[in-house]
């Protein structure tokens, strides 16, 4: 009597190459590739690959690519951030948490949304008041509107120069010194073509704290 081959037998020979292939792909894409790219990044871009972290007196104070919510008068203020965060009193709810890097996003309110219009109007009034501007003074758009990410670390040159007077008065320093720091910390267009001149708020505020005559508390 002729022995009949099991219908499963032809497939058992595929098990070993399938497992070997799976392990090879896992090692290649899950270990070798990310480790090699991380190593190359550490060598070619050491600052960026570590999160673009900024330090003061040996301690990390933030990242150059994530804004912070400065509100004190002796510091430059960033553009509004509309990010949210969990409510400490009720985890099922969210509250405003400016520059929350764990929940990046915008308000998603359209240009005809009444709440957006009211919020912008209130920000314009507050900006004019805190910087001593006339009631009809032009206000830079980045001073009263949030970015799409809610984490934008930069402000425009116009925004910074308007705030310079307030910062100088709060620190009791010459406004010319503050304007000099603005110029020194201005980043131009990439390759001279792309983007707009801008200022990193955290870097500028760190530079402010190095002013010898600073009286800020």
């Amino acid at each position: 009597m002729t022995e009949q081959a099991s219908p499963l037998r032809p497939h058992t020979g595929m098990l070993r190459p399938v497992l070997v292939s799976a392990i090879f792909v896992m090692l290649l894409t899950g270990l070798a590739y990310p480790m090699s790219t991380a190593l190359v990044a550490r060598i070619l871009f050491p600052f960026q690959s570590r999160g673009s972290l900024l330090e003061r007196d040996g301690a990390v104070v933030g990242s150059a690519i994530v804004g912070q919510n400065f509100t004190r008068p002796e510091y430059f203020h960033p553009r509004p951030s509309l990010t949210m965060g969990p409510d400490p009193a009720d985890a099922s709810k969210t509250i405003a948490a400016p520059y929350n890097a764990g929940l990046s996003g915008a308000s998603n309110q359209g240009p005809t949304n009444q709440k957006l219009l009211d919020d912008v109007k209130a920000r314009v009034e507050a900006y004019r008041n805190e910087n001593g501007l006339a009631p009809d003074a032009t206000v830079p758009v980045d001073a009263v509107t949030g970015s799409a990410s809610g984490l934008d670390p930069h402000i425009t040159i116009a925004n910074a120069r308007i705030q310079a007077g307030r910062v100088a008065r709060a620190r009791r320093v010459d406004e010319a010194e503050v304007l000099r720091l603005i110029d020194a910390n201005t980043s131009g267009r990439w390759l001279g073509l792309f983007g707009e001149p801008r200022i990193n708020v955290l870097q500028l505020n760190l530079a402010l704290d190095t002013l010898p005559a600073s009286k800020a508390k």
Side-chain angles (χ1 to χ4, degrees):
M1 181 176 180
T2 304
E3 181 181 358
Q4 293 184 348
S6 170
L8 297 178
R9 185 171 297 174
H11 299 285
T12 58
M14 297 292 294
L15 182 60
R16 183 173 180 276
V18 167
L19 290 177
V20 171
S21 299
I23 294 173
F24 173 76
V25 172
M26 179 186 68
L27 294 176
L28 179 64
T29 61
L31 291 176
Y33 176 74
M35 290 178 66
S36 61
T37 53
L39 179 61
V40 171
R42 285 294 180 93
I43 295 174
L44 298 181
F45 308 101
F47 178 67
Q48 294 88 340
S49 66
R50 289 175 171 82
S52 302
L53 300 179
L54 299 177
E55 298 183 356
R56 181 172 60 185
D57 299 328
V60 174
V61 295
S63 170
I65 56 176
V66 178
Q68 293 187 22
N69 191 35
F70 291 94
T71 58
R72 288 162 54 180
E74 65 267 25
Y75 287 109
F76 285 89
H77 299 169
R79 71 183 303 174
S81 171
L82 305 177
T83 56
M84 307 294 288
D87 187 345
D90 187 349
S92 65
K93 299 179 181 179
T94 57
I95 58 174
Y99 288 97
N100 178 13
L103 198 60
S104 172
S107 68
N108 293 326
Q109 295 170 338
T112 60
N113 184 284
Q114 190 58 49
K115 184 178 186 307
L116 175 63
L117 297 176
D118 293 341
D119 288 345
V120 170
K121 182 179 180 180
R123 292 175 198 147
V124 168
E125 184 177 353
Y127 186 86
R128 287 171 175 160
N129 288 337
E130 70 180 12
N131 291 292
L133 303 180
D136 59 347
T138 300
V139 174
V141 68
D142 68 299
V144 294
T145 59
S147 65
S149 69
L151 307 177
D152 194 343
H154 300 99
I155 56 175
T156 60
I157 311 302
N159 190 352
R161 294 185 74 86
I162 289 175
Q163 296 187 57
R166 183 201 75 237
V167 172
R169 290 190 296 271
R171 289 179 173 266
R172 301 177 187 174
V173 299
D174 190 343
E175 185 174 343
E177 281 294 298
V178 178
L179 292 173
R180 179 186 62 79
L181 286 181
I182 290 176
D183 293 338
N185 286 273
T186 296
S187 299
R189 293 179 174 87
W190 185 59
L191 298 179
L193 298 173
F194 304 103
E196 294 293 332
R198 61 205 178 279
I199 295 176
N200 187 289
V201 177
L202 176 56
Q203 290 177 322
L204 180 58
N205 285 336
L206 289 175
L208 276 175
D209 286 340
T210 66
L211 289 176
S214 177
K215 303 295 183 182
K217 297 180 181 180

